[in-house]
Amino acid sequence: MTASTSPSYIGRFAPTPSGYLHFGSLVAALASYLDARAVGGRWLVRMEDLDPPREEPGAQAAILKALECYGFEWDGDMVRQSERHTAYAEVLNRLFNQGLAYACTCSRKQLEPYHGIYPGLCRNLGHAREHAAIRLRVPELEYRFTDQVQGEYRQHLGRDVGDFVIQRRDGLYAYQLAVVLDDAWQGITDIVRGSDLLDSTPRQLYLQELLGLPQPRYLHVPLITQPDGHKLGKSYRSPPLSEDQAPPLLLRALRALGQTAPSELADASVAEIMRWGTAHWDASLIPRTLSVPEAQLS
Ligand code: GLU
Ligand code: ZN
């Protein structure tokens, strides 16, 4: 653990244990780690285990083992979202009782024609909470923020998203709610993650505003894509990070982030690569794109 921590920077890596870490998650983890350590900041790991049915058995342990093997050192104890249900329930009840959220009984089939933008069908029907999803009312407003890599991003919550789910019909809490509550609770100042979450950010900004929580800084790194343009991930069978490939894969992840390590590092250890990365981290070199094809990095 680092001795020189600065409360003015607290970052985090928040993996979902629905699969193992792959090269794309390594790039995101490395960016958040180096961005924190380069300024002497703290770096936390939070397991986003909100969805037990979709959890891959053994994934939590494998993720932590991979992080250790790749030279990541986190501050304090890892937090699991499965241990935070009381906090989520409290906020959810408050939002519901204040009429800021409401019960929705629409079926998936019913919502099919609306292409993911909820048309507000249950908004004023006053359904009971039992066996219903809970949706948060969104304002007819545009939310915008300046991302440190992707630049200005704006989204009209009413038009482009609609009232969104904060608790699923099966009782599971939604990512959008949990992530906002936990980032605030852990005092996260800087959110560094993959660009697939760029379009979730305006929903998170709205929740922060509604709950009076501070707004962190955002940095969304490019997704690593396969030749067919798909994001790397479990669904596209990208291999889990192998342990004996840690140094070359770290160097490759640095390259994906625009950080060019000197050729002397080719045979370096994980610790040496991490030290170099921390000392030379320059976020302004990260490619200002939503994705980087993996093939470009070899
Ligand atoms: N748990 C999310 C994921 O694995 C990341 C959440 C976040 O960084 O905000 O995609
Ligand atoms: Zn509905």
Side-chain angles (χ1 to χ4, degrees):
M1 308 295 119
T2 46
S4 62
T5 52
S6 151
S8 61
Y9 191 115
I10 305 177
R12 65 7 172 227
F13 178 56
T16 301
S18 56
Y20 300 103
L21 293 188
H22 50 81
F23 182 67
S25 20
L26 176 65
V27 170
L30 186 62
S32 84
Y33 185 77
L34 296 180
D35 202 57
R37 296 306 197 207
V39 295
R42 289 169 61 78
W43 189 74
L44 315 180
V45 172
R46 182 173 71 227
M47 196 57 73
E48 301 213 315
D49 54 349
L50 286 173
D51 193 348
R54 291 194 53 201
E55 192 163 329
E56 173 95 16
Q60 292 203 19
I63 288 170
L64 297 179
K65 186 147 172 280
L67 286 174
E68 274 170 15
C69 160
Y70 278 71
F72 293 89
E73 294 177 353
W74 55 93
D75 291 306
D77 291 332
M78 182 196 68
V79 168
R80 283 194 178 81
Q81 289 192 323
S82 56
E83 290 158 6
R84 294 266 303 144
H85 287 187
T86 318
Y88 307 150
E90 200 229 306
V91 171
L92 193 111
N93 291 341
R94 206 165 72 219
L95 293 171
F96 187 83
N97 293 336
Q98 291 174 336
L100 295 164
Y102 60 90
C104 165
T105 56
C106 295
S107 66
R108 196 176 293 236
K109 196 168 172 91
Q110 234 173 320
L111 296 178
E112 231 163 56
Y114 302 100
H115 308 289
I117 300 169
Y118 183 69
L121 302 175
C122 297
R123 228 179 196 216
N124 301 309
L125 297 184
H127 291 306
R129 281 181 68 169
E130 287 67 39
H131 314 294
I134 306 297
R135 289 184 182 270
L136 188 69
R137 286 174 202 275
V138 299
E140 291 297 326
L141 285 177
E142 183 175 79
Y143 278 73
R144 60 179 86 176
F145 70 103
T146 304
D147 188 83
Q148 290 174 76
V149 165
Q150 307 296 338
E152 195 179 341
Y153 187 81
R154 43 175 83 201
Q155 188 182 57
H156 191 283
L157 282 185
R159 209 170 48 225
D160 304 336
V161 180
D163 299 341
F164 60 90
V165 172
I166 51 177
Q167 185 178 34
R168 287 170 18 182
R169 184 194 291 260
D170 56 13
L172 295 182
Y173 296 99
Y175 157 70
Q176 306 292 356
L177 178 71
V179 78
V180 164
L181 295 182
D182 288 345
D183 285 333
W185 175 64
Q186 296 186 288
I188 303 298
T189 61
D190 288 76
I191 294 182
V192 177
R193 60 187 178 190
S195 68
D196 53 335
L197 293 166
L198 198 56
D199 69 354
S200 281
T201 308
R203 269 169 275 182
Q204 297 172 15
L205 297 181
Y206 172 54
L207 267 166
Q208 287 155 5
E209 180 186 86
L210 195 59
L211 299 170
L213 304 173
Q215 182 182 319
R217 290 179 286 260
Y218 288 95
L219 191 165
H220 286 86
V221 301
L223 284 189
I224 308 301
T225 48
Q226 301 204 319
D228 60 3
H230 276 132
K231 166 191 178 183
L232 284 190
K234 200 175 74 141
S235 42
Y236 303 104
R237 264 172 257 117
S238 64
L241 290 174
S242 90
E243 298 196 355
D244 51 354
Q245 290 295 304
L249 285 177
L250 275 175
L251 290 171
R252 201 152 180 248
L254 279 172
R255 228 173 308 142
L257 292 165
Q259 323 285 308
T260 330
S263 50
E264 298 91 87
L265 275 187
D267 299 311
S269 68
V270 156
E272 285 165 335
I273 296 171
M274 285 301 215
R275 244 191 324 272
W276 183 91
T278 305
H280 296 87
W281 175 248
D282 182 353
S284 74
L285 298 174
I286 301 171
R288 296 179 180 271
T289 55
L290 291 172
S291 64
V292 166
E294 191 182 26
Q296 221 169 69
L297 301 167
S298 45

